[in-house]
Amino acid sequence: METPVIRVENLGKRYRIAGRKTPYRRLSEEIADALRFPFRRLHPMGRPSSFQDSIWALREVSFEVHRGEVLGIIGPNGAGKTTLLKILSRITEPTEGRVEIAGRTSSLLEIGSGFHFELTGRENIYLNGAILGMQRPEIERKFDEIVAFAKIEQFLDTPVKHYSSGMYLRLAFAVAAHLEPDILFVDEVLAVGDAAFQKRCLNKMNEAARSGRTVLLVSHNMPAVMALCRRVIWIERGRIIRDGPAWSVVHSYLGGGNSFCGQKTWAPGEGPGNQWFRLLSVTLKDNHGTPTGRINISEEATVEIEYEVIKDGAKAQFSLVLFDAHGTCVFGSLSNKERNFYGRPLKPGRYRTSCSIYGNLLNNGQYSISVLGASDYWSESFQVERAITFEAVDDGILKGDYPGSYGGLIRPRLKWQTIALEDESEDKPENDGSFDR
């Protein structure tokens, strides 16, 4: 049996979070208290009494990866994905467990670290390549490929401080991607850059896999994960939820495992939020006002967000983003067209903001909705990924006599009309076909 190039056994990483602290006490106060209460233990000098909480970013994580495998790692924000890659890259030490890695590694975790803003693009290629472990002859041999991939030929001798963010990102990825390691760790590279750049990144990682190199990819881009990876690990709250074939794991992660949840609730004060307000619930309701995880595509549905304002003057703002079963964004919507309370300072209390999804808009299939909340001018934002999941069912009303299926992410009811051109004097039919399929 082939020996794995990565072996992770019972890996755990704990971070300490400082708790409340008592005020520092002067020496005179300690001496006076000692004289008044001689049998009471003195506080440790130079250090206040305190307690600390800890949080496990990873716990009991175990898996193996073999040579040439492209492994996807998915999960919500804060699940521990980046922490895992940092441990595998030897940037962070684990609290418990062990990691065995066989081969030369390269990490695309914080792209551009090691760049010097005062140096030119050409100089930074040599500098960053050396930091990543490339020898000068290797850099010179791949120099033209790096420049061509980054598409910065015209600005090669310009200091990178004058580059746009896109140019800077392309150059940083190009240098790291041409290192040709045995194992490549990639964290959310596909979340930035334009479509052409993302396509080049995908092609580069496909090329690495075909050449027998091992790739671990962390991403929220589900179509890219399924295109690149045969195997996916789903991590949530620091633990592995599922490890298996890419389509099956992604399908379950996005709520497609026949476990649709049209409502998410939190106890008062425990929901996500900011200093101004906190969420109490996110609920999907059908056209009868009933909470549900299943709607008919021809009927209107409503997403209700209930929240508690905890500080006077809050200006609550929301955004909904709808994703299909493959993680593709179908559409997003902002609450800035709400007329009753948007932009108005709110008094402490409970509020409900609703968003209606028209009937005859969605295609049949499985969906999830992520909710973003923010304060005035979209500041102090927070996000709840996959707050609700649901299934949109084809009730046949829009299809009429059409026996086939519809393609596409949405299925809107559009206006169709037919008129006779040869003899326009004839009476028009009573039903002019204004609405048809």
Side-chain angles (χ1 to χ4, degrees), residues 251-264 282-286 290-304 320-326 330-331 355-358 361-371 386-394 409-410:
H251 189 61
S252 295
Y253 172 69
L254 294 174
N258 297 323
S259 57
F260 303 108
C261 182
Q263 185 175 52
K264 191 174 186 69
V282 181
T283 306
L284 176 70
K285 293 186 175 181
D286 61 20
T290 304
T292 183
R294 186 183 178 97
I295 63 172
N296 292 327
I297 63 172
S298 66
E299 299 174 347
E300 183 175 286
T302 304
V303 178
E304 294 184 352
L320 300 182
V321 185
L322 181 77
F323 296 92
D324 70 0
H326 303 294
V330 180
F331 62 77
C355 176
S356 297
I357 301 176
Y358 304 128
L361 173 64
L362 300 181
N363 207 342
N364 61 297
Q366 297 153 2
Y367 297 91
S368 64
I369 291 180
S370 295
V371 176
R386 298 185 301 120
I388 53 177
T389 56
F390 66 96
E391 183 178 22
V393 181
D394 186 357
L409 298 177
I410 59 175

Side-chain angles (χ1 to χ4, degrees), residues 171-427:
L171 179 60
F173 180 88
V175 175
H178 285 80
L179 177 59
E180 295 186 359
D182 300 311
I183 304 169
L184 179 63
F185 302 121
V186 183
D187 185 11
E188 280 302 350
V189 170
L190 301 176
V192 288
D194 55 25
F197 171 71
Q198 291 184 12
K199 185 177 180 179
R200 291 202 301 278
C201 291
L202 288 170
N203 290 338
K204 192 65 181 176
M205 284 186 278
N206 266 322
E207 180 185 318
R210 287 195 300 269
S211 64
R213 294 195 288 275
T214 304
V215 179
L216 269 68
L217 170 66
V218 167
S219 181
H220 291 281
N221 187 332
M222 296 302 126
V225 169
M226 289 193 289
L228 283 170
C229 310
R230 291 187 177 182
R231 175 186 167 203
V232 167
I233 291 177
W234 168 11
I235 296 180
E236 193 153 338
R237 296 181 181 178
R239 297 178 183 268
I240 292 180
I241 304 298
R242 286 196 62 181
D243 180 352
W247 188 89
S248 175
V249 176
V250 170
H251 189 61
S252 295
Y253 172 69
L254 294 174
N258 297 323
S259 57
F260 303 108
C261 182
Q263 185 175 52
K264 191 174 186 69
T265 61
W266 298 270
E270 296 182 2
N274 52 34
Q275 65 168 319
W276 298 96
F277 66 94
R278 290 193 172 276
L279 298 188
L280 295 171
S281 66
V282 181
T283 306
L284 176 70
K285 293 186 175 181
D286 61 20
N287 64 332
H288 301 294
T290 304
T292 183
R294 186 183 178 97
I295 63 172
N296 292 327
I297 63 172
S298 66
E299 299 174 347
E300 183 175 286
T302 304
V303 178
E304 294 184 352
I305 305 170
E306 292 194 13
Y307 52 99
E308 183 176 14
V309 171
I310 54 180
K311 187 176 180 180
D312 191 24
K315 296 181 180 180
Q317 300 169 306
F318 294 100
S319 170
L320 300 182
V321 185
L322 181 77
F323 296 92
D324 70 0
H326 303 294
T328 302
C329 177
V330 180
F331 62 77
S333 182
L334 302 174
S335 65
N336 56 5
K337 299 304 179 184
E338 193 274 330
R339 297 181 178 180
N340 292 330
F341 286 97
Y342 184 83
R344 290 174 51 187
L346 304 178
K347 296 180 179 180
R350 293 192 174 194
Y351 296 84
R352 178 191 298 129
T353 297
S354 303
C355 176
S356 297
I357 301 176
Y358 304 128
N360 296 316
L361 173 64
L362 300 181
N363 207 342
N364 61 297
Q366 297 153 2
Y367 297 91
S368 64
I369 291 180
S370 295
V371 176
L372 183 143
S375 298
D376 195 19
Y377 297 108
W378 300 98
S379 61
E380 299 186 57
S381 63
F382 60 90
Q383 185 173 353
V384 183
E385 293 186 22
R386 298 185 301 120
I388 53 177
T389 56
F390 66 96
E391 183 178 22
V393 181
D394 186 357
D395 50 15
I397 294 177
L398 190 60
K399 289 178 67 174
D401 60 355
Y402 177 62
S405 60
Y406 282 75
L409 298 177
I410 59 175
R411 191 199 296 186
R413 181 172 181 173
L414 306 179
K415 182 176 181 179
W416 286 71
Q417 185 177 26
T418 301
I419 61 173
L421 299 178
E422 293 182 357
D423 187 0
E424 297 186 3
S425 62
E426 293 184 2
D427 293 335

Side-chain angles (χ1 to χ4, degrees), residues 39-262:
F39 298 105
R40 190 177 68 181
R41 182 177 297 177
L42 290 175
H43 292 291
M45 294 304 299
R47 181 165 53 93
S49 61
S50 64
F51 66 86
Q52 290 186 325
D53 296 327
S54 62
I55 183 172
W56 286 91
L58 292 173
R59 198 74 193 271
E60 299 176 353
V61 172
S62 300
F63 62 91
E64 294 181 350
V65 186
H66 292 85
R67 183 179 182 274
E69 192 172 3
V70 182
L71 174 66
I73 302 175
I74 63 175
N77 289 332
K81 307 182 298 297
T82 299
T83 300
L84 175 60
L85 288 197
K86 286 184 175 180
I87 292 175
L88 296 178
S89 304
R90 298 184 177 91
I91 296 173
T92 300
E93 288 286 333
T95 304
E96 61 183 20
R98 58 183 296 182
V99 175
E100 296 178 4
I101 297 178
R104 182 188 185 190
T105 65
S106 177
S107 304
L108 299 176
L109 306 184
E110 297 177 3
I111 290 182
S113 57
F115 270 45
H116 196 297
F117 283 94
E118 298 296 333
L119 299 181
T120 65
R122 183 189 304 274
E123 293 166 334
N124 269 296
I125 290 175
Y126 285 97
L127 173 64
N128 198 240
I131 291 174
L132 292 174
M134 299 170 72
Q135 300 295 322
R136 188 176 182 88
E138 184 181 5
I139 298 173
E140 291 176 344
R141 188 173 67 252
K142 298 174 181 175
F143 186 87
D144 291 340
E145 293 179 42
I146 293 172
V147 174
F149 187 95
K151 295 188 179 297
I152 60 160
E153 298 92 337
Q154 206 174 350
F155 308 97
L156 191 57
D157 295 306
T158 301
V160 297
K161 66 181 180 181
H162 299 305
Y163 284 15
S164 68
S165 58
M167 293 167 60
Y168 183 85
L169 177 71
R170 293 199 303 269
L171 179 60
F173 180 88
V175 175
H178 285 80
L179 177 59
E180 295 186 359
D182 300 311
I183 304 169
L184 179 63
F185 302 121
V186 183
D187 185 11
E188 280 302 350
V189 170
L190 301 176
V192 288
D194 55 25
F197 171 71
Q198 291 184 12
K199 185 177 180 179
R200 291 202 301 278
C201 291
L202 288 170
N203 290 338
K204 192 65 181 176
M205 284 186 278
N206 266 322
E207 180 185 318
R210 287 195 300 269
S211 64
R213 294 195 288 275
T214 304
V215 179
L216 269 68
L217 170 66
V218 167
S219 181
H220 291 281
N221 187 332
M222 296 302 126
V225 169
M226 289 193 289
L228 283 170
C229 310
R230 291 187 177 182
R231 175 186 167 203
V232 167
I233 291 177
W234 168 11
I235 296 180
E236 193 153 338
R237 296 181 181 178
R239 297 178 183 268
I240 292 180
I241 304 298
R242 286 196 62 181
D243 180 352
W247 188 89
S248 175
V249 176
V250 170
H251 189 61
S252 295
Y253 172 69
L254 294 174
N258 297 323
S259 57
F260 303 108
C261 182

